[in-house]
Amino acid sequence: MKGIDGTFDVVGAQAALAHFTTIEPARLCHGYLFTGPPAVGKKTFARRLAQSLLCETPKTTVLGYCGTCTGCTLLVAGTHPDYVQSEGRVKIGGDGGNALHDEEITARDLVRALSLHGYRGRHRVVVLGDVAFATHEAANALLKFFEEPPEGVVVILTTSAAGSLLATIRSRFVELAFGPLPRADVERVLLAGGVEPERARFAADVALGSVARARAVLDDDDLGLRDAAHAWFANAVRGEPADASFLRLDDRSLSGAEKRALVGELIELVRTAARDWVALRVAGSDVPLLAADQRTRFDGLPARDGPALVSLLAAVGDAQRLAHTNVSAGLVVEFLRLQLAPPVPAGRPR
Ligand SMILES: [Zn+2]
């Protein structure tokens, strides 16, 4: 295996590192598909790979960049003419926007982005994150690219739902899987980023292998979101009114995307709480919890039998899937609350 010239700073990503450190730069493919759960570093890796390809300092490896040349400087500044990166979730093709996607690209824009040669050098890199192809036209635009790809153009798609991509699209890409990071790696990154040791340990404990989620946990903690979401969960499973004002669903100053992000956080926190509740029920009070700081919330929650707990965990997954559709953030929250509520005895209306 060849080493890396210059800097290439990522954690985890073994499969992608193994791939790009073993291939010759001349054997680089035109399309890569990074798959894996959300927030495990797919886009970060894509960006570092792009910087490696656009770095103008000569090197013998695919990975690695100098950080000081014009190519590196332009990329970091977000103004490199040969680098296209989408923000958030992208829908390609289709009609008008909806709350589901943060950005929309027409099939024509995509064709244009893919058909240009590099301005400055050999490469041009297009990164599309969490991409969905809304129309056949959009999918065809991408497939056309693979029929005659311009020299040096590399497309990187990232997705946490590879199964939802058309098989014809998927088969054109070299697929590389990203997995959750070891807990120690998450803690190390947080410490290197200046997070205090005690907070780093706490966030790494509950981050489920994601640096981004660990940072979100620290942010949530700062905002009181963790406390509020766990209180909401406890009230919902008791069947008591649950205060959801922390989600700011009625706040007109927040965009649909911001509300969706808050609801996404709620669902993640409820998932953690539900797992902890199941663990406490099954393994007793000595079990280590994902959200150990919230342990007292579970005191006095009504008992549920095994099947009810299993369906509760499944319901959180259903809410997450629902959150990825056009259904409004408010309805997703109400759906989740109803799923968590105590089972109603047969014959009594809900
Ligand atoms: Zn450079």
Side-chain angles (χ1 to χ4, degrees), residues 51-52 54-57 59 64-73:
Q51 185 166 354
S52 302
L54 299 174
C55 175
E56 291 165 19
T57 301
K59 56 192 165 59
Y65 47 84
C66 72
T68 52
C69 70
T70 310
C72 283
T73 309

Side-chain angles (χ1 to χ4, degrees), residues 225-275:
L225 202 58
R226 276 174 67 74
D227 267 346
H230 280 90
W232 183 89
F233 171 81
N235 282 337
V237 298
R238 279 195 198 97
E240 289 169 6
D243 176 14
S245 59
F246 63 100
L247 296 171
R248 300 170 64 191
L249 294 173
D250 299 325
D251 187 339
R252 280 164 185 264
S253 70
L254 285 194
S255 70
E258 286 168 321
K259 286 176 192 175
R260 221 177 43 235
L262 279 171
V263 171
E265 288 296 302
L266 170 72
I267 293 172
E268 278 306 320
L269 289 164
V270 164
R271 185 199 300 284
T272 310
R275 281 187 194 171

Side-chain angles (χ1 to χ4, degrees), residues 273-315:
R275 281 187 194 171
D276 280 349
W277 193 28
V278 171
L280 282 170
R281 285 268 153 230
V282 173
S285 58
D286 294 335
V287 70
L289 298 183
L290 294 169
D293 59 317
Q294 301 288 334
R295 186 179 279 269
T296 54
R297 302 259 182 220
F298 299 100
D299 295 342
L301 288 190
R304 297 250 174 116
D305 60 14
L309 288 174
V310 170
S311 64
L312 186 137
L313 283 175

Side-chain angles (χ1 to χ4, degrees), residues 125-241:
V125 186
V126 179
V127 178
L128 300 171
D130 296 321
V131 70
F133 294 91
T135 62
H136 275 294
E137 194 195 3
N140 283 336
L142 189 62
L143 292 174
K144 269 244 146 35
F145 162 78
F146 283 101
E147 286 171 12
E148 239 179 298
E151 181 82 27
V153 177
V154 177
V155 183
I156 305 167
L157 303 187
T158 73
T159 181
S160 53
S164 67
L165 290 174
L166 287 176
T168 46
I169 287 189
R170 223 171 145 180
S171 66
R172 299 296 202 286
F173 286 85
V174 174
E175 200 165 319
L176 295 168
F178 285 64
L181 302 174
R183 189 206 156 286
D185 281 352
V186 175
E187 187 175 352
R188 196 161 44 77
V189 172
L190 296 177
L191 289 171
V195 176
E196 304 135 45
E198 197 179 322
R199 278 165 59 79
R201 198 177 320 122
F202 150 73
D205 276 344
V206 299
L208 308 174
S210 156
V211 172
R213 193 169 302 128
R215 295 218 168 95
V217 164
L218 292 172
D219 285 350
D220 289 351
D221 202 33
D222 292 342
L223 291 172
L225 202 58
R226 276 174 67 74
D227 267 346
H230 280 90
W232 183 89
F233 171 81
N235 282 337
V237 298
R238 279 195 198 97
E240 289 169 6

